[in-house]
Amino acid sequence: MEQKLCLECGEQIQGRSDKKFCSDYCRNSHNNKVNTESKNLIRNTNNRLKKNYKILTELNKSGKSKVIRNTLNSHNFDFSLFTSIYKTKIGKVYYYVYDQGYLELDNDYFLLIKKT
């Protein structure tokens, strides 16, 4: 009969024939290594979304305000990250980070709004 080795540490496995790890520690350690990349991507994206949300919240204290692009850029706002898009019947496109939204206006201005 062939001896099975733990996928994590290489130790000999005792017990069921379909067992892949010698202990819970090795199983957890292996799965954490396998899932690290996808978890890091999600964590980093969520952190950048939180940063965008914080910037919009700080610049839009009244619920509706106007700012210039340079103001958003100076706060390192990431225009590529948002949670939803709303398109009006006349074709205006609002980008939202949760309940904070922005609409690009003429001359590098943005209208900041908060959903109520």
Side-chain angles (χ1 to χ4, degrees):
M1 185 164 102
E2 184 181 323
Q3 294 294 327
K4 291 193 85 176
L5 301 178
C6 176
L7 294 178
E8 180 63 18
C9 69
E11 293 288 319
Q12 188 175 343
I13 297 176
Q14 302 292 324
R16 294 188 340 249
S17 62
D18 61 342
K19 209 170 170 186
K20 296 179 182 180
F21 303 99
C22 64
S23 66
D24 287 339
Y25 175 82
C26 281
R27 180 179 46 81
N28 286 328
S29 180
H30 178 79
N31 288 329
N32 286 340
K33 286 177 187 173
V34 169
N35 295 325
T36 297
E37 258 185 56
S38 63
K39 285 181 183 177
N40 282 341
L41 174 65
I42 292 167
R43 184 182 313 110
N44 292 339
T45 302
N46 283 335
N47 286 338
R48 290 169 54 203
L49 280 169
K50 285 179 195 176
K51 183 177 179 183
N52 272 2
Y53 183 79
K54 182 179 177 189
I55 292 166
L56 291 175
T57 303
E58 287 174 358
L59 295 175
N60 186 23
K61 297 212 183 287
S62 66
K64 187 174 185 180
S65 57
K66 207 173 176 182
V67 296
I68 196 158
R69 180 184 294 272
N70 287 344
T71 303
L72 292 169
N73 286 337
S74 69
H75 286 84
N76 294 319
F77 187 80
D78 187 345
F79 289 95
S80 68
L81 284 174
F82 45 86
T83 56
S84 63
I85 298 175
Y86 174 72
K87 207 176 224 183
T88 65
K89 291 179 183 177
I90 59 173
K92 292 184 178 183
V93 180
Y94 289 84
Y95 296 90
Y96 282 92
V97 180
Y98 306 111
D99 64 341
Q100 295 286 339
Y102 60 94
L103 169 68
E104 187 168 6
L105 303 171
D106 295 332
N107 300 324
D108 270 352
Y109 278 93
F110 285 84
L111 174 66
L112 305 182
I113 59 168
K114 181 177 180 173
K115 278 187 193 176
T116 52

